[in-house]
Structures are given as structure tokens and as C-alpha cells.
Amino acid sequence: MTETPVLDTPEAIREHLEIALDPADRRQRGVRFVLCDADNRVMVHCPVDDVPADVDSEDCTHFVSVFASALAEGDEGGGMLVALTRPGSGTINDLDRIWFRVTHEVCAQNGVRVIGVHLLTPSDHREIHPDDAI
């Protein structure tokens, strides 16, 4: 029996995403919502595959809202980790910034903690920080 991962440090988050997302996942446009309990134990991964390159803020808000509201209803104090995947470089682009801002806005509205927003490409893995989203 394996232990449920606890995403309580940057290293734990990085390791979990590296294991959970294989190279094929990292080559396609997608979003993985990792829903965690109040102690940051992973409850479920909710992948959204084949996300179009031209999604806008409204689309991102819809995706995040579905999972944030479900988490808010099911687990008081829960948190969400968002992993963006796409081909190309690990340079933060405008769409990555939109996902970051929308994730923080929607989660705040739903009382859900944001554990982090990460970008994973075939050759890079980085956490998106507020300075990246400006």
C-alpha cells in the first residue's frame, strides 16, 4: 500500500508532479487540477486534456471554477495545485499568466487555497510566481 502524497513543501510538489505527469502529458496542451485536503494530502487529479491554444480568460475561469467549487463544497480548507502542460519552452507566456491570475481569483472567491501553479513542458518545470504574472 502506498502513502498518499502530501504536498507540503516545494520539493514535495515538484517531485509529485514529476512522477504524476509523464513525458507525453508534458507535450500536450492541458491543465491538471490536483485537489488536496486541508493537510495538503492529494485526494484526486483532475486532468483536462487537449486545451486549445486560444482559450481566453473566460474559458480559464470556467475550468478553474468547476474544480474550485467542487473542492469548496467537499473539503473545508482544501487546496488546489494547478499544473499547466504544453509543448515549447518553459518561458512564461500570456496564457500562463492568465491561468495564474484566474486560479488565484477563483480560488479566493471559493475559499480554496492555491498550493501553486506550475508550468511543465517537455524540457522544463517551473513554478509560476506573482512576479511572472505581471
Side-chain angles (χ1 to χ4, degrees):
M1 184 169 185
T2 62
E3 282 188 42
T4 302
V6 179
L7 307 182
D8 57 352
T9 66
E11 295 79 20
I13 294 167
R14 176 172 283 281
E15 181 179 327
H16 180 71
L17 290 176
E18 291 291 331
I19 292 168
L21 294 161
D22 66 35
D25 294 323
R26 294 169 69 148
R27 284 191 293 272
Q28 70 172 324
R29 289 189 187 282
V31 183
R32 171 108 23 139
F33 297 94
V34 182
L35 307 185
C36 299
D37 67 12
D39 296 319
N40 287 2
R41 284 187 305 257
V42 174
M43 295 188 304
V44 66
H45 278 240
C46 304
V48 178
D49 296 326
D50 300 320
V51 174
D54 61 348
V55 295
D56 59 19
S57 181
E58 187 175 305
D59 296 325
C60 295
T61 298
H62 171 73
F63 285 122
V64 176
S65 294
V66 167
F67 298 106
S69 62
L71 183 59
E73 289 175 19
D75 196 291
E76 188 173 324
M80 180 187 304
L81 172 63
V82 177
L84 308 172
T85 59
R86 62 172 166 76
S89 78
T91 301
I92 304 298
N93 64 31
D94 289 340
L95 185 54
D96 303 328
R97 290 180 186 94
I98 290 170
W99 278 109
F100 178 88
R101 284 193 298 267
V102 165
T103 295
H104 283 272
E105 290 167 4
V106 171
C107 286
Q109 292 166 357
N110 284 277
V112 170
R113 293 176 300 106
V114 177
I115 296 171
V117 179
H118 286 243
L119 171 63
L120 291 94
T121 66
S123 62
D124 201 6
H125 176 172
R126 64 184 291 182
E127 181 176 5
I128 301 174
H129 297 283
D131 288 348
D132 297 320
I134 294 174

